[in-house]
Amino acid sequence: MKTYKVGVIGGTGMVGQRFISLMERHPWFQLTAIAASPRSAGKTYEEAVGARWAMDTPIPAQAKTMVVLDAQADAAKVAEQVDFVFSAVDMKKEEIRALEEAYAQLECPVVSNNSAHRWTPDVPMVVPEINPEHIQVIEAQRKRLGTKRGFIAVKSNCSLQSYVPALHPLRSFGLERVLVCTYQAISGAGKTFDTWPEMLDNVIPYIGGEEEKSEQEPLKLWGKVENGVIVNASGPAFTAQCLRVPVSNGHMAAVFADFANKPAEDEIKALWAGFKGRAQELALPSAPKQFLHYFDEPDRPQTRLDRMLEGGMAVSIGRLRPDTQYDYKFVCLSHNTLRGAAGGAVLLAELLCAEGYI
């Protein structure tokens, strides 16, 4: 596989930092440009981030001395230097939509962590193991944008990465309705305990917009490409409640599910154990070898023990059992800034490269 030159726009925020840390030893991707807000532009990356570096590992040596560009004013300069960009900018949604389309129209593909384009009908929102075929809609998007190379692809909301992968192989039993309660880490808000001390010994039962995303985005993931747009699936029916909990990294979900044809517990576990997606077929560098891991222990998965499973890119499942109101209930866990955010976007970029879209 060739080496691709990569830019990160929004490189100073928490997800941008994760992108930059993931580029350090990536076998395909070489960090070539970093862009951020005007207040960071012109500084070295180390100066721009300063004490806000939130990763467990040090700033990569290559990134430290790179001069940060202005994500908006220097867009053409960034586009000239790279094969594609990761987008992790912190702006208003309409500003993000305009900025990402500007990069695409500069013939620079955009792989975005942001939610701004998730509901644009011809923008694929992809989890590579679940709906890789949605990248076909890129050709229609290019026609709309008037581009040859440029396009936008996005990853889904971070909390979905815990429970939708576990539900996906069970759809063959006629998945009818799902109740999910998510318990989400503070890094999902771009925070650490140092910057958000109010979260210590605390739970907040509200995350703006999160319940709507949790109920609606699975239907786009399970939709179909028709006439150049993605048409959402009509079901199953979702209801969600999302809480912020005092955990640094890792989103957990308690899932309750009903089926038209109720499977046996052993059938469910066998499907989880045997499930592979396009990412595993292609042996993409960031893909976990075993996507779904089931734990038989009654107290697993646990956030601290299991969030880094397979480099933080696998999904952990446990406590499958019958329920009094639904057919089954179980618990899921994924690392929200790896599988759920930057790592999921890196995996999507790998898919786009392997399938010839970048």
Side-chain angles (χ1 to χ4, degrees), residues 120-183:
T120 305
D122 60 7
V123 170
M125 181 178 73
V126 175
V127 177
E129 290 90 349
I130 291 175
N131 61 329
E133 70 280 2
H134 283 197
I135 62 177
Q136 298 166 11
V137 82
I138 286 170
E139 294 307 326
Q141 185 195 143
R142 282 172 168 159
K143 288 178 184 176
R144 174 176 64 85
L145 295 174
T147 60
K148 293 181 179 179
R149 287 189 67 252
F151 66 86
I152 302 160
V154 301
K155 52 153 288 299
S156 65
N157 189 42
C158 53
S159 64
L160 271 69
Q161 312 288 331
S162 59
Y163 60 90
V164 171
L167 291 168
H168 182 67
L170 308 184
R171 294 174 70 220
S172 59
F173 297 109
L175 184 61
E176 290 188 325
R177 64 181 186 134
V178 177
L179 182 154
V180 60
C181 298
T182 63
Y183 306 89

Side-chain angles (χ1 to χ4, degrees), residues 2 11 15 59 70 76 107-108 113 120 126 136 139 143 169 198 232 252 258 266 285 339 355-356:
K2 64 171 279 189
V15 175
I59 300 174
D70 186 317
E107 299 294 358
C108 179
N113 181 71
T120 305
V126 175
Q136 298 166 11
E139 294 307 326
K143 288 178 184 176
E198 297 85 358
N232 289 358
M252 188 169 280
D258 261 344
D266 288 346
R339 167 55 75 166
E355 301 285 22

Side-chain angles (χ1 to χ4, degrees), residues 4-8 30-34 75 77-85 103 107-109 149:
Y4 296 83
K5 295 178 180 178
V6 177
V8 178
Q30 178 183 354
L31 182 65
T32 306
I34 304 172
K77 188 174 181 181
V78 174
E80 287 173 3
Q81 296 180 31
V82 302
D83 295 309
F84 70 94
V85 295
Y103 274 87
E107 299 294 358
C108 179
R149 287 189 67 252

Side-chain angles (χ1 to χ4, degrees), residues 233-312:
S234 57
F238 274 87
T239 185
Q241 186 148 270
C242 302
L243 291 78
R244 188 74 72 192
V245 295
V247 167
S248 58
N249 292 295
H251 287 355
M252 188 169 280
V255 184
F256 302 76
D258 261 344
F259 302 90
N261 303 297
K262 183 179 176 180
E265 287 185 46
D266 288 346
E267 288 181 285
I268 294 174
K269 291 178 183 179
L271 278 175
W272 285 337
F275 181 73
K276 295 183 184 299
R278 186 64 175 151
Q280 285 72 38
E281 291 172 9
L282 292 168
L284 299 176
S286 299
K289 289 183 171 59
Q290 178 74 33
F291 182 34
L292 306 176
H293 290 249
Y294 185 80
F295 290 88
D296 286 311
E297 297 91 334
D299 60 350
R300 301 283 288 278
Q302 291 183 26
T303 304
R304 287 179 65 181
L305 294 178
D306 302 312
R307 61 189 167 200
M308 285 303 297
L309 192 63
E310 296 216 38

